[in-house]
């Protein structure tokens, strides 16, 4: 049976590293500073891999680091990291359709790097200027996997999916005007892409995309 530690306010899944290769990753919103610090401490004590907390505001991040030293804060990604993994030789290209997709891309790239993936960024190559993504095609093909981040109509995922042979993870974002429906339009477009085999994660989930890319590196033991 999987093991957990009961902290009263949380049951920390300390056995997840043994099952999946990574310790539990902590979702920051809704948790008090002391709660985050307690969970992080339990994970650091009972695991050997990287410990991450996502979606943490700067003030809370500073307070947590004061209680649990040895970590660092990636402000653009709103990510706390302790014990970053060593590189595992897998390169993931993080591609954005527009500058407004930057915060989601920052989360994806920072989480991927903390898990040991080598990351490259290709910014602002949306399909309204198709020449921009075509000019970056060689860089995309050189990566072992590609994370495509796009709002509006989400078409960039289909374009990239037709240019590369490697796995593509698509992230719909909540950017766009009214009919973009806060990311629902991009989500549905990516799910119905004519470029076969694209993996689609939740709206604005740079974290989810990074974890999908990480799982692609795993091999049966």
């Amino acid at each position: 049976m999987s093991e957990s530690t009961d902290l009263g306010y949380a049951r920390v899944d300390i056995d997840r590293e043994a099952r999946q290769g990574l310790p539990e990753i902590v979702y920051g919103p809704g948790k008090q500073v002391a709660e985050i610090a307690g969970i992080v401490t339990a994970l650091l004590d009972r695991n050997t891999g990287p410990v991450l907390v996502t979606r943490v505001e700067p003030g809370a991040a500073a307070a947590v680091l004061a209680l649990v030293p040895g970590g660092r804060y990636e402000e653009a990604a709103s990510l706390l990291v302790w014990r970053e993994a060593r590189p595992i030789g897998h390169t993931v290209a993080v591609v954005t359709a527009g500058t407004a997709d930057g915060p989601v891309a920052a989360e994806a790239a920072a989480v991927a790097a903390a898990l040991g993936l080598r990351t490259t960024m290709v910014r602002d190559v949306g399909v309204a200027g198709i020449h921009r993504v075509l000019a970056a095609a060689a860089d995309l093909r050189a990566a072992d996997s590609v994370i495509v981040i796009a709002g509006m109509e989400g078409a960039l995922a289909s374009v990239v999916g037709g240019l590369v042979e490697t796995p593509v993870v698509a992230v719909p974002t909540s950017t766009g005007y009214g009919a973009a429906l806060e990311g629902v339009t991009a989500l549905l477009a990516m799910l119905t892409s004519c470029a076969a085999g694209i993996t689609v994660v939740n709206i604005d989930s740079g974290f989810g995309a990074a974890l999908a890319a990480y799982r692609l590196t795993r091999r049966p033991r």
Side-chain angles (χ1 to χ4, degrees):
M1 180 178 294
S2 296
E3 188 178 357
S4 62
T5 294
D6 189 351
L7 301 180
Y9 51 83
R11 293 182 185 272
V12 184
D13 184 2
I14 58 173
D15 191 47
R16 192 173 303 183
E17 183 177 45
R19 299 195 315 271
Q20 298 186 341
L22 284 175
E24 179 180 2
I25 294 176
V26 184
Y27 179 68
K31 294 181 176 68
Q32 301 298 314
V33 166
E35 293 172 341
I36 294 174
I39 294 168
V40 168
T41 298
L43 291 169
L44 289 170
D45 287 346
R46 300 295 297 273
N47 294 274
T48 61
V51 174
L52 280 62
V53 185
T54 64
R55 307 287 173 99
V56 186
E57 295 298 321
V64 172
L65 288 172
L67 294 172
V68 189
R72 60 180 174 81
Y73 182 55
E74 295 277 354
E75 185 169 357
S78 300
L79 182 74
L80 281 166
V81 181
W82 287 262
R83 215 159 50 196
E84 184 174 63
R86 291 178 295 179
I88 58 177
H90 182 102
T91 300
V92 56
V94 180
V95 188
T96 66
T99 305
D101 302 314
V104 179
E107 180 180 66
V111 171
L115 300 183
L117 280 64
R118 291 181 291 128
T119 62
T120 62
M121 296 290 295
V122 179
R123 296 182 174 88
D124 196 20
V125 292
V127 299
I130 195 69
H131 58 286
R132 298 179 298 185
V133 67
L134 295 177
D139 292 333
L140 301 180
R141 292 178 181 134
D144 297 305
S145 60
V146 182
I147 294 173
V148 180
I149 300 171
M152 301 288 188
E153 84 289 17
L156 183 62
S158 291
V159 173
V160 172
L163 290 175
V164 304
E165 65 174 352
T166 49
V168 174
V169 182
V171 188
T173 70
S174 53
T175 59
Y177 300 105
L181 301 176
E182 298 184 336
V184 173
T185 296
L187 171 65
L188 296 177
M190 291 172 175
L191 288 171
T192 55
S193 171
C194 61
I198 292 175
T199 296
V200 184
V201 299
N202 208 348
I203 296 169
D204 291 337
S205 185
F207 161 76
L211 263 291
Y214 173 80
R215 282 177 175 259
L216 290 169
T217 72
R218 310 304 291 166
R219 296 289 185 270
R221 290 181 175 82

